[in-house]
Amino acid sequence: MPSLSEAYHSHPVEVHHHKHPDFKSLQELPDSYAWTHPEDHALAINTTSSNFGSVPVIDLSDRNATRLIGHACRTWGAFQVVNHGVPLSLLDHIQWVGQTLFSLSTHQKLKATRSPDGVTGYGLARISSFFPKLMWSEGFTILGSPLEHFQKLWPQDYAKYCDIVVEYDETMKKLAGKLMGLMLDSLGISKEELKWACPNKGPLFKDTCGALQLNSYPTCPDPDRAMGLAPHTDSTLLTILYQNNISGLQVHRESTGWVTVPPIPGALVVNVGDLFHILSNGLYPSVLHRVLVNRSKQRFSVAYLYGPPSNVEICPHAKLVGPTRPALYRAVTWNEYLGTKAKHFNKALSSFQLCAPKNGLFDVNESHKNSVQVG
Ligand SMILES: O=C(O)CCC(=O)C(=O)O
Ligand SMILES: [Fe+2]
Protein backbone atom coordinates (compact mmCIF):
# COMPACT_ATOMS: atom_id res chain seq x y z
CA MET A 1 0.00 0.00 0.00
CA PRO A 2 2.60 2.55 -0.96
CA SER A 3 0.42 5.58 -1.57
CA LEU A 4 -0.95 6.19 1.89
CA SER A 5 2.13 5.21 3.82
CA GLU A 6 4.42 7.27 1.58
CA ALA A 7 2.22 10.27 2.13
CA TYR A 8 2.23 9.82 5.89
CA HIS A 9 5.98 9.32 6.01
CA SER A 10 6.76 12.34 3.91
CA HIS A 11 4.21 14.61 5.61
CA PRO A 12 3.91 13.63 9.26
CA VAL A 13 1.15 15.50 11.06
CA GLU A 14 2.19 17.11 14.31
CA VAL A 15 -0.19 15.90 16.95
CA HIS A 16 0.05 17.80 20.25
CA HIS A 17 2.41 16.06 22.58
CA HIS A 18 0.28 15.52 25.57
CA LYS A 19 -0.43 12.49 27.65
CA HIS A 20 -2.92 10.09 26.17
CA PRO A 21 -5.96 10.42 28.39
CA ASP A 22 -7.61 7.76 30.44
CA PHE A 23 -11.16 8.91 29.65
CA LYS A 24 -12.75 6.67 32.25
CA SER A 25 -10.93 8.37 35.10
CA LEU A 26 -12.19 11.85 34.18
CA GLN A 27 -15.23 12.90 36.24
CA GLU A 28 -15.33 16.40 34.79
CA LEU A 29 -14.57 17.73 31.33
CA PRO A 30 -11.03 19.21 31.39
CA ASP A 31 -10.80 22.66 29.82
CA SER A 32 -8.59 21.24 27.06
CA TYR A 33 -11.65 19.21 25.87
CA ALA A 34 -14.26 21.97 26.22
CA TRP A 35 -15.33 23.22 22.77
CA THR A 36 -17.88 25.67 24.16
CA HIS A 37 -18.10 27.82 27.30
CA PRO A 38 -20.53 26.68 30.01
CA GLU A 39 -22.89 29.58 29.24
CA ASP A 40 -22.86 28.92 25.47
CA HIS A 41 -25.35 26.75 23.63
CA ALA A 42 -24.69 23.03 23.57
CA LEU A 43 -22.94 21.86 20.41
CA ALA A 44 -26.00 19.79 19.53
CA ILE A 45 -28.23 22.87 19.50
CA ASN A 46 -27.47 23.31 15.81
CA THR A 47 -28.80 19.88 14.99
CA THR A 48 -31.87 20.05 12.77
CA SER A 49 -34.81 17.75 13.27
CA SER A 50 -35.59 14.91 10.94
CA ASN A 51 -38.36 17.06 9.41
CA PHE A 52 -35.63 18.33 7.14
CA GLY A 53 -35.09 14.83 5.80
CA SER A 54 -32.29 12.42 6.51
CA VAL A 55 -29.51 10.70 4.64
CA PRO A 56 -31.18 8.33 2.12
CA VAL A 57 -31.22 4.62 2.89
CA ILE A 58 -30.66 2.59 -0.28
CA ASP A 59 -31.31 -1.09 -0.81
CA LEU A 60 -28.49 -2.34 -3.03
CA SER A 61 -30.75 -5.03 -4.47
CA ASP A 62 -33.24 -2.39 -5.67
CA ARG A 63 -33.18 -2.13 -9.46
CA ASN A 64 -33.27 1.64 -9.12
CA ALA A 65 -30.20 1.62 -6.86
CA THR A 66 -27.99 3.51 -9.34
CA ARG A 67 -30.47 6.34 -9.76
CA LEU A 68 -31.08 6.57 -6.01
CA ILE A 69 -27.35 6.61 -5.31
CA GLY A 70 -26.87 9.40 -7.85
CA HIS A 71 -29.55 11.48 -6.18
CA ALA A 72 -28.15 10.86 -2.70
CA CYS A 73 -24.60 11.74 -3.76
CA ARG A 74 -25.71 14.93 -5.46
CA THR A 75 -27.92 16.16 -2.64
CA TRP A 76 -26.19 14.80 0.47
CA GLY A 77 -22.76 13.47 -0.46
CA ALA A 78 -23.70 10.44 1.64
CA PHE A 79 -26.16 7.56 1.95
CA GLN A 80 -26.75 4.41 3.95
CA VAL A 81 -26.82 1.00 2.29
CA VAL A 82 -28.72 -2.14 3.26
CA ASN A 83 -28.66 -5.51 1.50
CA HIS A 84 -24.99 -4.85 0.80
CA GLY A 85 -23.98 -8.50 1.10
CA VAL A 86 -21.60 -8.06 4.07
CA PRO A 87 -22.49 -10.75 6.65
CA LEU A 88 -23.86 -9.31 9.89
CA SER A 89 -21.56 -11.69 11.77
CA LEU A 90 -18.53 -9.97 10.21
CA LEU A 91 -19.84 -6.56 11.34
CA ASP A 92 -20.27 -7.99 14.85
CA HIS A 93 -16.76 -9.41 14.76
CA ILE A 94 -15.05 -6.18 13.70
CA GLN A 95 -16.99 -4.31 16.35
CA TRP A 96 -15.81 -6.85 18.89
CA VAL A 97 -12.18 -6.23 17.81
CA GLY A 98 -12.64 -2.48 18.35
CA GLN A 99 -14.46 -2.92 21.63
CA THR A 100 -11.83 -5.29 22.98
CA LEU A 101 -8.98 -3.11 21.80
CA PHE A 102 -10.28 0.10 23.33
CA SER A 103 -11.14 -1.60 26.64
CA LEU A 104 -7.49 -2.52 27.19
CA SER A 105 -5.67 -0.45 29.80
CA THR A 106 -4.09 2.81 28.63
CA HIS A 107 -0.71 1.30 29.45
CA GLN A 108 -1.41 -1.63 27.14
CA LYS A 109 -2.78 0.51 24.29
CA LEU A 110 0.22 2.81 24.39
CA LYS A 111 2.43 -0.16 23.54
CA ALA A 112 0.88 -0.04 20.07
CA THR A 113 1.04 3.74 19.61
CA ARG A 114 1.28 5.06 16.06
CA SER A 115 4.74 6.49 15.43
CA PRO A 116 4.83 10.21 14.45
CA ASP A 117 5.42 9.46 10.77
CA GLY A 118 3.65 6.11 10.73
CA VAL A 119 0.15 5.06 9.83
CA THR A 120 -0.78 1.93 11.75
CA GLY A 121 -1.38 2.10 15.49
CA TYR A 122 -3.19 3.68 18.39
CA GLY A 123 -3.53 7.45 18.70
CA LEU A 124 -5.48 10.63 18.39
CA ALA A 125 -7.28 11.58 15.18
CA ARG A 126 -4.78 13.01 12.70
CA ILE A 127 -6.90 16.14 12.41
CA SER A 128 -6.30 16.90 16.11
CA SER A 129 -3.31 19.06 15.35
CA PHE A 130 -5.50 21.55 13.48
CA PHE A 131 -7.76 22.32 16.42
CA PRO A 132 -7.06 24.15 19.65
CA LYS A 133 -9.21 21.74 21.66
CA LEU A 134 -8.93 17.98 22.05
CA MET A 135 -11.50 15.50 20.84
CA TRP A 136 -13.29 13.02 23.06
CA SER A 137 -12.24 9.93 21.13
CA GLU A 138 -9.51 7.39 20.55
CA GLY A 139 -8.53 5.78 17.28
CA PHE A 140 -6.61 2.86 15.88
CA THR A 141 -5.54 3.00 12.23
CA ILE A 142 -4.63 -0.09 10.20
CA LEU A 143 -2.85 0.05 6.87
CA GLY A 144 -1.66 -3.31 5.55
CA SER A 145 -1.09 -5.97 8.17
CA PRO A 146 -1.90 -5.17 11.81
CA LEU A 147 0.25 -8.14 12.92
CA GLU A 148 3.14 -6.22 14.48
CA HIS A 149 0.88 -3.91 16.47
CA PHE A 150 -1.59 -6.62 17.47
CA GLN A 151 1.27 -8.77 18.78
CA LYS A 152 2.04 -5.96 21.20
CA LEU A 153 -1.58 -5.71 22.32
CA TRP A 154 -2.33 -9.43 22.54
CA PRO A 155 0.95 -11.39 22.71
CA GLN A 156 -0.93 -14.72 23.05
CA ASP A 157 -3.97 -14.51 20.81
CA TYR A 158 -3.25 -11.77 18.27
CA ALA A 159 -3.96 -14.18 15.37
CA LYS A 160 -7.73 -14.27 15.80
CA TYR A 161 -7.91 -10.45 15.79
CA CYS A 162 -5.71 -10.30 12.69
CA ASP A 163 -7.92 -12.82 10.88
CA ILE A 164 -11.02 -10.69 11.43
CA VAL A 165 -9.28 -7.54 10.22
CA VAL A 166 -8.03 -9.28 7.07
CA GLU A 167 -11.49 -10.64 6.30
CA TYR A 168 -13.12 -7.26 6.94
CA ASP A 169 -10.57 -5.50 4.76
CA GLU A 170 -11.11 -7.89 1.83
CA THR A 171 -14.89 -7.70 2.14
CA MET A 172 -14.86 -3.89 2.26
CA LYS A 173 -12.56 -3.70 -0.75
CA LYS A 174 -15.07 -5.70 -2.79
CA LEU A 175 -18.01 -3.61 -1.61
CA ALA A 176 -16.10 -0.38 -2.26
CA GLY A 177 -15.42 -1.53 -5.84
CA LYS A 178 -19.10 -2.26 -6.31
CA LEU A 179 -20.10 1.14 -4.89
CA MET A 180 -17.53 2.88 -7.10
CA GLY A 181 -19.11 1.17 -10.10
CA LEU A 182 -22.60 2.30 -9.10
CA MET A 183 -21.51 5.86 -8.34
CA LEU A 184 -19.71 6.11 -11.69
CA ASP A 185 -22.71 4.61 -13.43
CA SER A 186 -24.92 7.24 -11.81
CA LEU A 187 -22.76 9.86 -13.56
CA GLY A 188 -23.10 8.10 -16.90
CA ILE A 189 -19.55 6.72 -16.75
CA SER A 190 -18.93 3.03 -17.32
CA LYS A 191 -16.06 1.27 -15.55
CA GLU A 192 -14.38 0.77 -18.93
CA GLU A 193 -14.26 4.55 -19.26
CA LEU A 194 -12.09 4.83 -16.17
CA LYS A 195 -8.81 3.34 -17.32
CA TRP A 196 -7.30 2.55 -13.93
CA ALA A 197 -10.43 0.68 -12.84
CA CYS A 198 -9.83 -2.04 -15.42
CA PRO A 199 -6.34 -3.51 -15.15
CA ASN A 200 -5.35 -5.99 -17.86
CA LYS A 201 -5.62 -8.89 -15.49
CA GLY A 202 -7.83 -9.56 -12.53
CA PRO A 203 -10.97 -8.04 -11.11
CA LEU A 204 -12.12 -4.44 -11.44
CA PHE A 205 -10.60 -1.90 -9.06
CA LYS A 206 -8.01 -4.54 -8.14
CA ASP A 207 -5.16 -2.11 -7.42
CA THR A 208 -7.03 0.30 -5.18
CA CYS A 209 -5.86 1.02 -1.62
CA GLY A 210 -7.77 0.92 1.61
CA ALA A 211 -7.13 1.64 5.27
CA LEU A 212 -9.21 0.85 8.34
CA GLN A 213 -9.88 3.33 11.09
CA LEU A 214 -11.34 1.98 14.34
CA ASN A 215 -12.88 4.73 16.49
CA SER A 216 -14.11 4.80 20.07
CA TYR A 217 -16.09 7.58 21.71
CA PRO A 218 -16.11 6.95 25.47
CA THR A 219 -18.96 8.14 27.68
CA CYS A 220 -18.46 11.79 28.52
CA PRO A 221 -19.26 13.72 31.74
CA ASP A 222 -20.24 16.88 29.82
CA PRO A 223 -21.27 15.82 26.29
CA ASP A 224 -22.88 19.15 25.36
CA ARG A 225 -19.49 20.82 25.40
CA ALA A 226 -17.32 18.03 24.00
CA MET A 227 -16.59 17.03 20.40
CA GLY A 228 -16.06 13.38 19.47
CA LEU A 229 -14.60 14.12 16.05
CA ALA A 230 -14.41 17.63 14.62
CA PRO A 231 -16.07 18.53 11.30
CA HIS A 232 -14.11 17.21 8.34
CA THR A 233 -14.45 15.65 4.94
CA ASP A 234 -12.59 12.44 4.10
CA SER A 235 -9.62 12.53 1.71
CA THR A 236 -10.80 9.36 -0.01
CA LEU A 237 -12.70 8.36 -3.13
CA LEU A 238 -15.33 7.01 -0.78
CA THR A 239 -15.56 5.86 2.83
CA ILE A 240 -17.66 2.97 4.14
CA LEU A 241 -18.58 3.42 7.77
CA TYR A 242 -19.98 0.92 10.20
CA GLN A 243 -21.42 2.48 13.37
CA ASN A 244 -22.71 0.53 16.35
CA ASN A 245 -26.22 1.22 17.62
CA ILE A 246 -25.32 4.51 19.34
CA SER A 247 -25.98 7.72 17.44
CA GLY A 248 -23.46 10.54 17.25
CA LEU A 249 -22.55 10.86 13.56
CA GLN A 250 -23.89 13.99 11.88
CA VAL A 251 -23.59 15.27 8.33
CA HIS A 252 -23.77 18.90 7.30
CA ARG A 253 -25.96 20.36 4.59
CA GLU A 254 -25.74 23.97 3.59
CA SER A 255 -29.51 24.25 3.46
CA THR A 256 -30.38 22.67 6.80
CA GLY A 257 -27.32 22.44 9.06
CA TRP A 258 -26.26 19.37 11.04
CA VAL A 259 -28.38 16.24 10.59
CA THR A 260 -27.93 13.05 12.63
CA VAL A 261 -27.33 9.83 10.70
CA PRO A 262 -29.37 7.36 12.75
CA PRO A 263 -27.81 3.93 13.24
CA ILE A 264 -29.78 1.23 11.41
CA PRO A 265 -28.92 -2.34 12.42
CA GLY A 266 -26.72 -3.89 9.73
CA ALA A 267 -26.59 -0.77 7.53
CA LEU A 268 -23.38 0.87 6.34
CA VAL A 269 -22.89 4.61 5.77
CA VAL A 270 -21.16 5.67 2.55
CA ASN A 271 -19.47 9.07 2.31
CA VAL A 272 -18.38 10.74 -0.90
CA GLY A 273 -14.72 11.70 -0.34
CA ASP A 274 -12.70 14.61 -1.72
CA LEU A 275 -11.18 12.55 -4.54
CA PHE A 276 -14.58 11.47 -5.86
CA HIS A 277 -15.66 15.08 -5.63
CA ILE A 278 -12.76 15.93 -7.97
CA LEU A 279 -13.53 12.98 -10.26
CA SER A 280 -17.18 14.10 -10.50
CA ASN A 281 -16.01 17.59 -11.46
CA GLY A 282 -17.74 18.99 -8.40
CA LEU A 283 -21.11 17.35 -9.05
CA TYR A 284 -20.97 15.22 -5.91
CA PRO A 285 -19.98 17.10 -2.75
CA SER A 286 -17.66 15.36 -0.30
CA VAL A 287 -19.77 15.36 2.81
CA LEU A 288 -18.79 17.38 5.86
CA HIS A 289 -19.35 15.29 8.98
CA ARG A 290 -18.65 15.27 12.71
CA VAL A 291 -19.34 13.10 15.75
CA LEU A 292 -20.98 14.15 19.02
CA VAL A 293 -20.66 12.15 22.22
CA ASN A 294 -23.05 11.21 25.02
CA ARG A 295 -23.11 10.69 28.78
CA SER A 296 -24.05 7.05 29.13
CA LYS A 297 -23.13 4.95 26.10
CA GLN A 298 -19.80 4.30 24.50
CA ARG A 299 -19.90 4.56 20.72
CA PHE A 300 -17.76 2.60 18.23
CA SER A 301 -17.28 2.96 14.53
CA VAL A 302 -15.11 1.43 11.81
CA ALA A 303 -14.28 3.46 8.72
CA TYR A 304 -12.93 1.84 5.55
CA LEU A 305 -11.01 4.56 3.71
CA TYR A 306 -10.89 3.78 0.02
CA GLY A 307 -8.61 5.43 -2.51
CA PRO A 308 -7.03 4.91 -5.94
CA PRO A 309 -3.81 3.03 -6.77
CA SER A 310 -0.74 5.07 -5.86
CA ASN A 311 0.36 5.90 -9.40
CA VAL A 312 -3.05 7.08 -10.60
CA GLU A 313 -3.90 10.73 -11.09
CA ILE A 314 -7.49 11.62 -10.26
CA CYS A 315 -9.00 14.39 -12.36
CA PRO A 316 -12.48 15.48 -13.45
CA HIS A 317 -13.70 12.78 -15.83
CA ALA A 318 -13.67 13.79 -19.50
CA LYS A 319 -17.38 12.98 -19.80
CA LEU A 320 -18.17 15.60 -17.18
CA VAL A 321 -16.06 18.31 -18.76
CA GLY A 322 -17.18 20.43 -21.70
CA PRO A 323 -17.37 23.97 -23.05
CA THR A 324 -20.03 24.99 -20.54
CA ARG A 325 -18.53 22.98 -17.75
CA PRO A 326 -14.77 23.43 -17.51
CA ALA A 327 -12.63 21.14 -15.38
CA LEU A 328 -12.76 22.53 -11.85
CA TYR A 329 -9.66 20.73 -10.59
CA ARG A 330 -6.28 19.73 -11.84
CA ALA A 331 -5.12 16.12 -11.74
CA VAL A 332 -3.74 14.85 -8.43
CA THR A 333 -2.52 11.56 -6.98
CA TRP A 334 -3.74 10.39 -3.59
CA ASN A 335 -0.22 10.82 -2.25
CA GLU A 336 -0.01 14.45 -3.35
CA TYR A 337 -3.49 15.16 -2.06
CA LEU A 338 -2.73 13.72 1.37
CA GLY A 339 0.50 15.71 1.53
CA THR A 340 -1.36 18.93 0.80
CA LYS A 341 -4.00 18.00 3.35
CA ALA A 342 -1.39 17.40 6.00
CA LYS A 343 -0.07 20.91 5.44
CA HIS A 344 -3.03 23.03 4.43
CA PHE A 345 -5.88 21.02 5.87
CA ASN A 346 -9.23 22.63 4.99
CA LYS A 347 -7.64 24.59 2.14
CA ALA A 348 -6.39 21.44 0.40
CA LEU A 349 -9.27 20.97 -2.01
CA SER A 350 -9.36 24.57 -3.14
CA SER A 351 -5.61 24.52 -3.72
CA PHE A 352 -6.24 22.10 -6.60
CA GLN A 353 -9.07 24.18 -8.00
CA LEU A 354 -8.59 25.57 -11.50
CA CYS A 355 -11.59 27.85 -11.77
CA ALA A 356 -14.53 28.98 -9.72
CA PRO A 357 -17.86 27.28 -10.28
CA LYS A 358 -20.32 29.26 -12.40
CA ASN A 359 -23.90 30.17 -11.44
CA GLY A 360 -23.51 28.45 -8.11
CA LEU A 361 -23.70 25.22 -10.08
CA PHE A 362 -20.69 23.81 -8.30
CA ASP A 363 -20.77 25.13 -4.80
CA VAL A 364 -17.30 23.94 -4.01
CA ASN A 365 -15.78 26.39 -1.60
CA GLU A 366 -18.86 26.66 0.53
CA SER A 367 -18.98 22.99 1.34
CA HIS A 368 -15.35 22.82 2.34
CA LYS A 369 -14.95 25.62 4.81
CA ASN A 370 -14.16 23.21 7.58
CA SER A 371 -11.61 20.62 8.21
CA VAL A 372 -10.60 17.60 6.27
CA GLN A 373 -9.12 14.31 7.38
CA VAL A 374 -8.13 11.07 5.85
CA GLY A 375 -10.69 9.48 8.02
O1 LIG B 1 -17.33 7.66 13.98
C1 LIG B 1 -17.92 8.05 12.99
O2 LIG B 1 -19.13 7.86 12.83
C2 LIG B 1 -17.20 8.82 11.92
C3 LIG B 1 -15.75 8.49 11.80
C4 LIG B 1 -15.09 9.29 10.74
O3 LIG B 1 -15.63 10.23 10.21
C5 LIG B 1 -13.74 8.95 10.28
O4 LIG B 1 -13.09 8.03 10.85
O5 LIG B 1 -13.28 9.59 9.31
FE1 LIG C 1 -14.61 10.89 8.40
Side-chain angles (χ1 to χ4, degrees):
M1 308 249 170
S3 177
L4 264 178
S5 50
E6 270 167 27
Y8 284 123
H9 283 298
S10 45
H11 311 282
V13 170
E14 271 296 312
V15 173
H16 301 303
H17 293 287
H18 65 91
K19 269 180 61 193
H20 283 257
D22 181 3
F23 290 103
K24 287 199 193 78
S25 68
L26 299 171
Q27 304 295 314
E28 270 180 37
L29 192 72
D31 187 52
S32 52
Y33 287 88
W35 287 60
T36 65
H37 294 290
E39 64 275 15
D40 286 351
H41 289 313
L43 283 168
I45 208 92
N46 294 324
T47 304
T48 40
S49 77
S50 57
N51 296 345
F52 290 94
S54 54
V55 168
V57 180
I58 296 169
D59 182 337
L60 275 197
S61 64
D62 187 328
R63 59 192 174 84
N64 292 316
T66 305
R67 188 175 52 75
L68 297 169
I69 285 176
H71 186 257
C73 288
R74 209 177 291 261
T75 53
W76 288 85
F79 52 96
Q80 301 212 54
V81 279
V82 293
N83 267 326
H84 41 61
V86 179
L88 294 184
S89 56
L90 184 56
L91 299 176
D92 283 345
H93 288 157
I94 196 73
Q95 183 184 319
W96 173 76
V97 171
Q99 219 159 331
T100 314
L101 191 158
F102 291 113
S103 357
L104 293 170
S105 68
T106 306
H107 171 75
Q108 197 70 9
K109 284 183 281 199
L110 290 178
K111 289 185 184 163
T113 304
R114 186 167 61 215
S115 68
D117 62 349
V119 187
T120 298
Y122 174 71
L124 302 175
R126 282 173 66 89
I127 60 173
S128 300
S129 60
F130 297 99
F131 293 90
K133 295 291 179 171
L134 292 166
M135 296 173 213
W136 196 264
S137 58
E138 313 168 76
F140 196 97
T141 314
I142 302 169
L143 181 69
S145 170
L147 181 69
E148 196 192 317
H149 286 78
F150 278 12
Q151 276 173 331
K152 292 180 189 148
L153 295 175
W154 300 288
Q156 307 302 324
D157 49 2
Y158 56 87
K160 67 179 180 211
Y161 297 96
C162 286
D163 288 349
I164 294 171
V165 165
V166 169
E167 191 184 347
Y168 194 75
D169 210 61
E170 283 168 3
T171 309
M172 284 298 126
K173 184 168 176 168
K174 277 191 211 129
L175 178 59
K178 182 171 176 179
L179 291 166
M180 263 303 281
L182 290 167
M183 284 163 63
L184 287 169
D185 210 16
S186 72
L187 288 166
I189 301 166
S190 70
K191 285 163 267 213
E192 293 70 32
E193 287 170 311
L194 195 66
K195 267 188 249 125
W196 59 265
C198 303
N200 290 337
K201 275 190 232 139
L204 288 166
F205 299 110
K206 160 171 120 358
D207 300 324
T208 46
C209 300
L212 275 186
Q213 173 70 31
L214 309 177
N215 299 306
S216 160
Y217 305 88
T219 56
C220 178
D222 197 353
D224 290 347
R225 302 174 61 215
M227 181 69 83
L229 196 57
H232 67 279
T233 61
D234 296 337
S235 313
T236 54
L237 281 168
L238 61 87
T239 303
I240 304 175
L241 185 91
Y242 173 63
Q243 51 175 344
N244 71 342
N245 58 350
I246 310 298
S247 66
L249 174 65
Q250 299 190 320
V251 297
H252 193 262
R253 273 182 117 188
E254 282 304 318
S255 50
T256 46
W258 290 105
V259 182
T260 298
V261 183
I264 299 173
L268 295 165
V269 181
V270 182
N271 291 341
V272 174
D274 294 336
L275 292 185
F276 203 95
H277 172 78
I278 294 175
L279 181 65
S280 74
N281 201 19
L283 286 174
Y284 291 176
S286 48
V287 66
L288 187 65
H289 53 288
R290 70 176 185 182
V291 180
L292 299 183
V293 292
N294 75 80
R295 197 181 293 278
S296 57
K297 290 170 190 143
Q298 183 164 17
R299 181 172 182 275
F300 294 100
S301 71
V302 184
Y304 179 73
L305 309 161
Y306 181 74
S310 56
N311 55 348
V312 163
E313 290 197 319
I314 297 296
C315 60
H317 194 275
K319 276 191 128 173
L320 306 174
V321 174
T324 57
R325 196 193 263 173
L328 288 183
Y329 297 95
R330 73 165 173 84
V332 58
T333 63
W334 201 11
N335 189 352
E336 186 185 5
Y337 192 76
L338 289 169
T340 305
K341 194 69 76 64
K343 273 202 213 119
H344 302 294
F345 198 38
N346 55 339
K347 309 279 187 312
L349 195 52
S350 52
S351 75
F352 294 101
Q353 203 170 330
L354 292 171
C355 60
K358 280 201 189 113
N359 310 328
L361 191 60
F362 308 126
D363 201 6
V364 180
N365 285 326
E366 279 307 301
S367 57
H368 291 93
K369 275 187 184 144
N370 286 275
S371 351
V372 186
Q373 88 158 5
V374 174

